[in-house]
Amino acid sequence: MELKGVHQQNGNSNGNIGAAAGPEGEESAPTTQTPTATATETTTEKVDAEKQQAERSNWGNGLEFLMSCISVSVGLGNVWRFPFTAYENGGGAFLIPYIIVLFLIGKPMYYLEMIMGQFTSQGTVKIWSVVPGFVGVGYGQAFATICIITYYSSLLALTLYYLFVSFQSVLPWSYCWDDWINCVNSRPQEETDSLLFSSSNITALANTDTDTGKLQSSSELYFLNVVIKEKLDISDGIGDPDWKLTLALFVSWVVIFLVIMRGVKSSGKAAYFLALFPYVVLFILLVRAVTLEGARDGIIFFLEPQWGELLNPTVWKNAVVQCFFSLAVGSGPIIMFASYNRFDHGIYRDAMIVTTLDTLTSLLGGITIFAILGNLAHNLQIENIRDVVRSGTGLAFISYPDAISKFQAVPQLFSVLFFFMLFVLGIGSIVALQSTIVTILCDQFKSWKYWKVALATSMCGFLMGLVYVTPGGQWILTLVDFYGGTYVVFILAIFELAGIVWIYGLQNFCDDIEFMCNRRVSLYWRVCWSFFTPVMMIVIFIYSMVTIEPITYSEQYFPESANVAGWLLFGIGAAQFPLWWMWHISHHREGSLGQSFVASLRPSDKWGPANPETRREWVIFKNDKAAQRATKKQSSKLGAFWQKLGHFCGSNN
């Protein structure tokens, strides 16, 4: 491989790069080694690296990688989570902070994780050979990923449930059932009258006294009373799993296993469909949504800026969390996907495409669902969009079905297409998350067969997901998302960035990028990585922890025992960082405790490109860079000396 700036030199080209990168990224002259030690280290390193290269698969082509990244980053986070997060934070009040966070935190973190994965060809744990003491960041992120996987799969179960019932002659959520009060048909009244519904369904709305209770659409009541059979109090337990949702959950995990069982060889081929099909259905739904009566008010609520909310730190915190969730940064999938790339793959282009497309899809999903909310507000005679439906994870399973039921022609067809799209989006996201866990295990235990690990983890995922298909499942989902997903990912992402940029060193990292991508790192990335991204994340995280309040579901507080369980979940995830650091120091002693601590902050001899030939060229490149900077620094000092001498002589004259 020929790279600009890499020159063939005599001497040791396979030395320990840790000698050129101190704990703070400071560079020094390369160390010399005895010929015997060098030969032994070179041989061992070559054998290990060649074994790893032989065992690790690669994408069939670069497009498979791009489509896989799109399928995970453009998924349920855009169509499901983004709209209800924006809804909770005031629509347009949330949009501006989100876009700012995307450019100052989202894009820099996404590009950084892509680089780390491709540069090392390792998963989210093994990459920490760059700063061995930080290996707990990888394990903590794996824990958070498992938490996310468990409830993500339950959303797939809900999606499959709706997909199955969409084949009925009349969509079951489009009309009010006999025992529902204060109900408004989701399907227009004139169309409802033409269907053979019971008279009680038709008179339910006519006899409603709006002063005795809030009007609710039939799509909302169907979700709460029929699908999840919601419990309003979990102090006495969460109930038993619903058999229909359990069956849907099982089918979801079967599909997940079939997609990931052969690694990137199978998931890469599926990525084309997983990434592209959802856009077809989403555009169809968008066209229908914006033509509904009252849609304009909902869209204005979503897009109209509220500049005063820029000073609300809570909105900024939620923007960061949504950005992380949507782009899938801080949890491992991006590192894992990039690790299967060729070393010279052009990831800069892919990073820009995916992050831009992710934002556009979020806006597309937001406009669609707020147009529907505007129509709901019109039908329910509610002035404020905020009061239309209860927010939360069920928002997508209320608003979208409500819009589908208003389709004039064959709403069943559009319902099937939509929920199949939602299922495809969910599969794309969870395949990446699940593959991250499988990759970590296979990297750690290389003798384990990939498909067997995939099968075992899929079975565990199904069993853990059962808790979410109970009547109290939405309570547990809210709890796990808040404590096990949101805050664990948030704090570990701060350590991830600090370890690479502040400990390994920004200049060292930029040199690695220049070697791999053959392009210099621009000022935008340098400033974001070194200052804006970590500082913003630290400030927002500290504020959110200081002002944290007990979480609620459906405007009701969780039992104290649930909050204790939530904090325990957060503690387990966050504690991975210090616990694994202590473990590393105790198992890799180098002199005194202080010396071992410092050594844990230096790159190990496993850090660098996996391919032996590429690694040798990288070492030469790094040594050249170090020598150039040392020469430049010496010249600068010499120039300053002569300048001072000239001033001194001039003043004497």
Side-chain angles (χ1 to χ4, degrees):
M1 183 175 62
E2 184 177 347
L3 288 168
K4 183 178 179 181
V6 180
H7 308 288
Q8 295 298 327
Q9 296 182 352
N10 295 326
N12 174 31
S13 65
N14 217 17
N16 185 353
I17 199 62
E24 314 228 340
E26 297 177 358
E27 300 180 19
S28 59
T31 59
T32 59
Q33 300 179 356
T34 64
T36 303
T38 303
T40 302
E41 180 180 327
T42 302
T43 303
T44 304
E45 177 188 278
K46 185 174 182 179
V47 171
D48 291 343
E50 288 177 345
K51 181 180 178 182
Q52 177 187 347
Q53 285 296 106
E55 292 176 350
R56 197 172 192 82
S57 302
N58 288 110
W59 298 104
N61 53 64
L63 194 57
E64 287 185 7
F65 168 69
L66 177 61
M67 290 299 165
S68 297
C69 289
I70 291 175
S71 68
V72 62
S73 295
V74 181
L76 286 181
N78 307 87
V79 180
W80 163 67
R81 186 177 176 123
F82 179 85
F84 88 71
T85 304
Y87 183 72
E88 289 177 336
N89 290 274
F94 176 77
L95 196 56
I96 295 175
Y98 178 76
I99 293 176
I100 294 174
V101 162
L102 175 75
F103 279 93
L104 295 183
I105 296 179
K107 283 179 177 288
M109 286 295 297
Y110 195 90
Y111 188 36
L112 179 141
E113 291 197 349
M114 267 195 173
I115 292 165
M116 292 296 293
Q118 181 170 305
F119 185 77
T120 60
S121 300
Q122 298 282 6
T124 185
V125 171
K126 291 289 187 177
I127 64 165
W128 286 106
S129 56
V130 63
V131 184
F134 277 46
V135 68
V137 172
Y139 285 112
Q141 289 176 337
F143 175 82
T145 300
I146 292 172
C147 291
I148 295 171
I149 288 172
T150 59
Y151 71 72
Y152 227 98
S153 60
S154 71
L155 299 177
L156 292 182
L158 291 174
T159 303
L160 273 185
Y161 182 97
Y162 272 90
L163 177 62
F164 293 148
V165 300
S166 296
F167 287 96
Q168 298 182 23
S169 59
V170 177
L171 296 177
W173 62 82
S174 63
Y175 61 93
C176 295
W177 291 25
D178 291 341
D179 55 345
W180 296 349
I181 60 173
N182 295 339
C183 175
V184 176
N185 289 319
S186 291
R187 194 171 178 86
Q189 187 66 37
E190 61 272 12
E191 297 179 31
T192 309
D193 292 342
S194 64
L195 300 174
L196 299 178
F197 294 154
S198 65
S199 58
S200 58
N201 288 329
I202 300 174
T203 59
L205 178 60
N207 295 334
T208 295
D209 181 1
T210 56
D211 294 331
T212 62
K214 176 186 174 183
L215 293 175
Q216 291 178 286
S217 66
S218 58
S219 58
E220 181 174 8
L221 290 171
Y222 180 79
F223 175 73
L224 298 177
N225 297 342
V226 178
V227 180
I228 65 173
K229 301 178 177 63
E230 182 188 48
K231 287 191 68 172
L232 297 178
D233 182 14
I234 61 170
S235 58
D236 60 342
I238 59 175
D240 298 324
D242 179 80
W243 73 268
K244 294 180 181 178
L245 292 179
T246 299
L247 181 60
L249 182 68
F250 178 77
V251 173
S252 300
W253 275 107
V254 170
V255 174
I256 293 166
F257 168 70
L258 293 177
V259 174
I260 69 172
M261 63 181 294
R262 297 181 63 236
V264 295
K265 293 180 180 178
S266 55
S267 64
K269 300 298 183 293
Y272 293 100
F273 181 75
L274 295 176
L276 299 178
F277 172 76
Y279 283 102
V280 177
V281 182
L282 195 57
F283 272 110
I284 294 174
L285 195 65
L286 172 67
V287 172
R288 176 58 179 137
V290 298
T291 58
L292 295 173
E293 193 172 1
R296 180 175 176 273
D297 295 333
I299 295 173
I300 291 176
F301 177 79
F302 174 59
L303 297 178
E304 187 176 18
Q306 298 183 33
W307 302 106
E309 291 296 324
L310 291 177
L311 301 178
N312 185 352
T314 301
V315 174
W316 287 91
K317 187 266 289 186
N318 291 329
V320 173
V321 172
Q322 172 57 29
C323 190
F324 273 50
F325 191 95
S326 181
L327 290 174
V329 295
S331 53
I334 306 306
I335 295 175
M336 180 272 301
F337 275 158
S339 72
Y340 292 103
N341 274 339
R342 299 187 316 273
F343 186 80
D344 58 350
H345 179 74
I347 54 173
Y348 180 83
R349 176 204 62 193
D350 292 347
M352 297 305 99
I353 290 175
V354 175
T355 52
T356 302
L357 194 59
D358 174 81
T359 305
L360 294 177
T361 309
S362 293
L363 293 175
L364 184 67
I367 291 173
T368 302
I369 202 164
F370 275 92
I372 297 169
L373 291 175
N375 175 257
L376 280 174
H378 173 78
N379 292 341
L380 300 176
Q381 303 173 12
I382 297 175
E383 294 184 2
N384 194 338
I385 302 293
R386 290 175 181 266
D387 301 327
V388 174
V389 295
R390 283 184 352 202
S391 185
T393 57
L395 182 62
F397 295 101
I398 297 172
S399 301
Y400 284 124
D402 188 88
I404 291 171
S405 64
K406 292 178 172 59
F407 275 63
Q408 301 293 330
V410 287
Q412 294 85 352
L413 173 62
F414 290 104
S415 182
V416 169
L417 287 175
F418 171 74
F419 285 109
F420 183 61
M421 175 207 72
L422 213 59
F423 183 73
V424 168
L425 285 173
I427 288 292
S429 298
I430 204 169
V431 158
L433 295 168
Q434 186 73 359
S435 297
T436 301
I437 303 301
V438 176
T439 298
I440 291 173
L441 293 172
C442 289
D443 281 350
Q444 194 70 32
F445 307 99
K446 296 187 180 297
S447 62
W448 291 7
K449 296 291 185 182
Y450 191 96
W451 74 269
K452 291 182 179 180
V453 178
L455 178 60
T457 54
S458 296
M459 292 172 62
C460 292
F462 166 71
L463 294 175
M464 289 188 290
L466 290 175
V467 70
Y468 301 100
V469 295
T470 61
Q474 294 299 304
W475 287 79
I476 306 302
L477 191 155
T478 304
L479 188 77
V480 173
D481 177 49
F482 184 78
Y483 289 106
T486 299
Y487 280 103
V488 173
V489 169
F490 205 148
I491 190 172
L492 292 177
I494 295 173
F495 289 127
E496 174 187 341
L497 188 60
I500 295 170
V501 177
W502 290 349
I503 306 297
Y504 177 58
L506 177 63
Q507 189 58 59
N508 276 317
F509 186 55
C510 291
D511 287 345
D512 295 339
I513 299 172
E514 184 178 344
F515 173 77
M516 181 174 69
C517 301
N518 199 21
R519 61 182 296 158
R520 294 186 62 84
V521 180
S522 68
L523 181 64
Y524 164 72
W525 300 110
R526 291 174 182 265
V527 172
C528 285
W529 284 332
S530 61
F531 180 74
F532 283 116
T533 305
V535 170
M536 282 184 66
M537 289 170 61
I538 291 171
V539 170
I540 293 172
F541 178 78
I542 292 176
Y543 172 83
S544 62
M545 293 301 290
V546 170
T547 60
I548 193 170
E549 297 180 352
I551 59 172
T552 60
Y553 172 74
S554 186
E555 300 180 353
Q556 297 186 59
Y557 288 101
F558 280 74
E560 191 61 33
S561 58
N563 284 312
V564 171
W567 281 112
L568 182 61
L569 203 63
F570 170 75
I572 292 173
Q576 299 302 310
F577 175 62
L579 290 177
W580 282 99
W581 196 346
M582 290 187 289
W583 176 90
H584 178 83
I585 292 175
S586 65
H587 285 72
H588 300 81
R589 295 302 295 267
E590 296 188 16
S592 65
L593 181 62
Q595 290 172 326
S596 299
F597 176 81
V598 173
S600 71
L601 300 177
R602 294 197 194 101
S604 74
D605 56 3
K606 296 179 181 179
W607 167 248
N611 182 273
E613 183 61 32
T614 305
R615 180 179 177 83
R616 280 191 289 272
E617 294 178 354
W618 169 65
V619 173
I620 295 172
F621 178 83
K622 295 283 282 189
N623 290 340
D624 282 350
K625 282 289 186 180
Q628 290 171 13
R629 272 190 282 273
T631 302
K632 185 176 181 180
K633 185 176 181 181
Q634 188 65 30
S635 300
S636 178
K637 288 182 178 179
L638 189 61
F641 169 76
W642 286 113
Q643 186 177 17
K644 289 181 181 178
L645 183 62
H647 283 305
F648 175 76
C649 294
S651 61
N652 287 339
N653 291 334

